[in-house]
Amino acid sequence: MRLLPQHTQLGKLELIEVYEYYDTPCLFSCRNASGQLFISILFEQEKRLEKWLYASISQRRFENIRAGLIDIRNAFINSENGFVYEVIINLDDSPDRVEIIWCENLIDDWLPMPNEFIEFANEPLPLLEVKDAPRTAMQIQREVLNLTFQFPTPNPTEAPVAFLGRILESIQSVFNALGQAIGGTPTLTGIIPHSITEKMQLTVLGTYPGSFGIELATLPEKIEKDRNNYLVNSVINEFFELVNMSINPEDNAYILRQKLWTLKTRVASGYRDFLVNLYKSETNLRFNWGSPNQEHRDLVELHLSSIKKTLEIITMTEDEIVKESEIVSKLIGLNIRTKSYEILSIEHNKKYSGRIIDEAISRVETATLSEVYVSTIREIKEISPTLPEGKLKYQLIALRPHIS
């Protein structure tokens, strides 16, 4: 027996998903060639025919029913149009029949009990409307960047407002920093010149289903002023290089850090903040880049596990030994358990504190507080792509009594 009716006013139908199956599908979603969505349930089965109810549904209602936010019964008795279709599919060659039934005339026995839900929220949402960045870019002659988020349940097709604000702001910040690094003189702090941020400005074209997607584009006048749009293209290309290296961060750890060193602190910090926002929201992210220049395009997906590892690599510090020096000082703090110390320089009245190296513990553990010693201090600069100016640390590597 055919599953879908043919040659009726419902149009040419195709199956989307099956939600319940007893020898044959009995609850599923489908759509016709013009894009109209339906949810369909089998309510009577005989030897010669099957009887179905079809409720036409909007994209948003489809997403909510599928995510278990609207029960199956409600999908029919509260149909958006106020009516459903009774579809009779015949085993013989006689035509299939479709009749309208107003919601108030539906019989209880035809429908599931209240609070029965479709539980497909953990399954990827079918892409009913495919957004292709390269195609959009050719249509509008602008750089286009599509971001598709995969949020956890209960409804992966909705996005928290606070998250969207943070993620859009952090992407714009990365673009501004990249623009300054490539097209100007990078600065650690302060306002990025308007001449850079004006060129880097992104605008939201809209949102789209398929989890939750945002379509971004550069401003149109930038393309008109500079047909090659070199800076914007270079910035997006650099951004995608960073994202591609972040897919397998353990394999790309060295080149990723070197790339961020080259692009300077502002880019490294901005990219780190962007990844932190993604990780906090527990979402994977798919990027799709399209350009009027058809040679410039990319499609990548970044998973939570890769985001976490990339953050560890970006924030990992390296120790650079600056110097070693001997200081006549008073011992004012000592904790052997935590291997920590604090001294006060006699000459400059300056305090030093930090870790005691393992080799020095045996000599230091017998020291007396408030006594004067000659302390050998190793000065180390802790650096990373996000902190190139460094953070100074002072290791105590030797301690001997001071003989005046």
Side-chain angles (χ1 to χ4, degrees):
M1 181 175 288
R2 300 184 308 277
L3 178 62
L4 299 171
Q6 297 180 357
H7 310 299
T8 70
Q9 61 264 45
L10 300 184
K12 186 177 180 180
L13 297 170
E14 63 174 345
L15 188 68
I16 298 175
E17 294 174 317
V18 176
Y19 308 114
E20 289 187 11
Y21 191 100
Y22 296 106
D23 296 328
T24 185
C26 56
L27 178 65
F28 61 83
S29 57
C30 61
R31 65 177 173 183
N32 63 22
S34 64
Q36 177 60 60
L37 298 168
F38 298 91
I39 183 166
S40 312
I41 189 167
L42 178 66
F43 73 90
E44 186 175 324
Q45 190 172 32
E46 301 176 5
K47 289 184 178 180
R48 295 178 176 272
L49 56 81
E50 289 180 343
K51 293 183 178 182
W52 297 78
L53 294 178
Y54 276 59
S56 61
I57 51 177
S58 64
Q59 171 74 36
R60 179 62 65 190
R61 191 168 175 86
F62 168 69
E63 294 168 1
N64 278 268
I65 294 169
R66 188 181 181 278
L69 301 179
I70 297 175
D71 69 16
I72 302 168
R73 181 184 182 87
N74 193 21
F76 291 91
I77 62 173
N78 287 314
S79 169
E80 290 164 290
N81 291 326
F83 64 85
V84 298
Y85 298 100
E86 180 185 9
V87 175
I88 300 174
I89 299 178
N90 295 289
L91 273 173
D92 54 27
D93 294 332
S94 58
D96 299 329
R97 304 196 310 273
V98 175
E99 298 178 2
I100 288 178
I101 299 180
W102 296 99
C103 292
E104 57 265 29
N105 296 328
L106 285 171
I107 298 173
D108 277 351
D109 291 345
W110 293 355
L111 300 170
M113 296 293 289
N115 298 317
E116 290 189 20
F117 297 91
I118 292 172
E119 297 181 356
F120 256 54
N122 291 325
E123 300 296 324
L125 187 71
L127 289 176
L128 303 178
E129 181 185 355
V130 178
K131 285 287 185 180
D132 181 62
R135 183 175 62 218
T136 304
M138 289 301 297
Q139 291 170 348
I140 66 175
Q141 286 297 291
R142 294 154 67 180
E143 305 292 326
V144 174
L145 180 62
N146 288 352
L147 312 177
T148 304
F149 303 95
Q150 297 172 9
F151 291 106
T153 55
N155 192 352
T157 65
E158 297 178 0
V161 170
F163 164 77
L164 286 183
R166 289 193 302 268
I167 204 70
L168 292 176
E169 183 177 12
S170 61
I171 289 176
Q172 185 67 73
S173 295
V174 175
F175 272 51
N176 291 345
L178 282 167
Q180 188 187 39
I182 296 169
T185 303
T187 57
L188 297 178
T189 58
I191 298 174
I192 296 176
H194 180 69
S195 58
I196 297 292
T197 59
E198 183 184 28
K199 295 174 184 176
M200 293 299 102
Q201 188 174 344
L202 298 171
T203 183
V204 176
L205 294 180
T207 60
Y208 54 90
S211 290
F212 184 90
I214 301 177
E215 196 169 32
L216 306 178
T218 54
L219 294 179
E221 58 265 26
K222 306 310 169 194
I223 299 293
E224 293 169 7
K225 289 178 181 177
D226 180 2
R227 202 63 191 167
N228 294 322
N229 204 26
Y230 169 77
L231 183 57
V232 172
N233 230 285
S234 299
V235 163
I236 299 177
N237 189 64
E238 288 284 359
F239 178 76
F240 269 88
E241 279 193 31
L242 291 173
V243 173
N244 274 293
M245 283 187 272
S246 301
I247 295 173
N248 297 302
E250 291 175 304
D251 296 337
N252 298 315
Y254 177 77
I255 58 173
L256 175 59
R257 285 175 66 85
Q258 291 304 307
K259 168 69 75 174
L260 292 172
W261 279 113
T262 302
L263 293 170
K264 307 300 182 186
T265 306
R266 207 158 199 163
V267 174
S269 298
Y271 188 59
R272 176 201 59 200
D273 293 346
F274 167 66
L275 294 179
V276 166
N277 284 324
L278 284 178
Y279 188 71
K280 284 181 177 178
S281 295
E282 300 180 344
T283 176
N284 299 330
L285 177 56
R286 185 169 64 246
F287 298 87
N288 186 204
W289 172 30
S291 172
N293 182 343
Q294 296 187 53
E295 295 180 0
H296 297 161
R297 60 173 63 193
D298 210 339
L299 177 64
V300 295
E301 187 160 348
L302 199 54
H303 294 276
L304 269 175
S305 57
S306 298
I307 294 170
K308 180 181 179 182
K309 190 62 185 178
T310 301
L311 284 169
E312 292 172 358
I313 290 169
I314 291 175
T315 56
M316 183 174 62
T317 59
E318 300 171 8
D319 286 346
E320 180 181 272
I321 297 176
V322 178
K323 63 180 179 179
E324 292 183 5
S325 55
E326 291 188 340
I327 302 171
V328 178
S329 58
K330 180 187 291 187
L331 184 63
I332 59 175
L334 181 64
N335 190 321
I336 297 300
R337 184 180 61 80
T338 60
K339 299 179 182 179
S340 60
Y341 77 95
E342 185 175 10
I343 60 174
L344 177 66
S345 168
I346 300 297
E347 182 179 358
H348 299 107
N349 198 37
K350 177 181 176 180
K351 289 183 179 180
Y352 296 84
S353 62
R355 304 282 289 179
I356 307 167
I357 67 170
D358 291 342
E359 294 80 359
I361 289 293
S362 59
R363 294 182 181 179
V364 174
E365 64 184 355
T366 58
T368 305
L369 290 176
S370 299
E371 291 292 320
V372 177
Y373 295 89
V374 177
S375 307
T376 305
I377 300 296
R378 178 181 293 154
E379 187 174 319
I380 293 174
K381 183 181 286 187
E382 188 178 68
I383 57 175
S384 74
T386 59
L387 192 68
E389 64 273 21
K391 176 183 177 182
L392 289 177
K393 299 189 300 183
Y394 301 96
Q395 290 182 343
L396 181 62
I397 62 175
L399 190 71
R400 70 177 190 272
H402 176 252
I403 302 173
S404 55

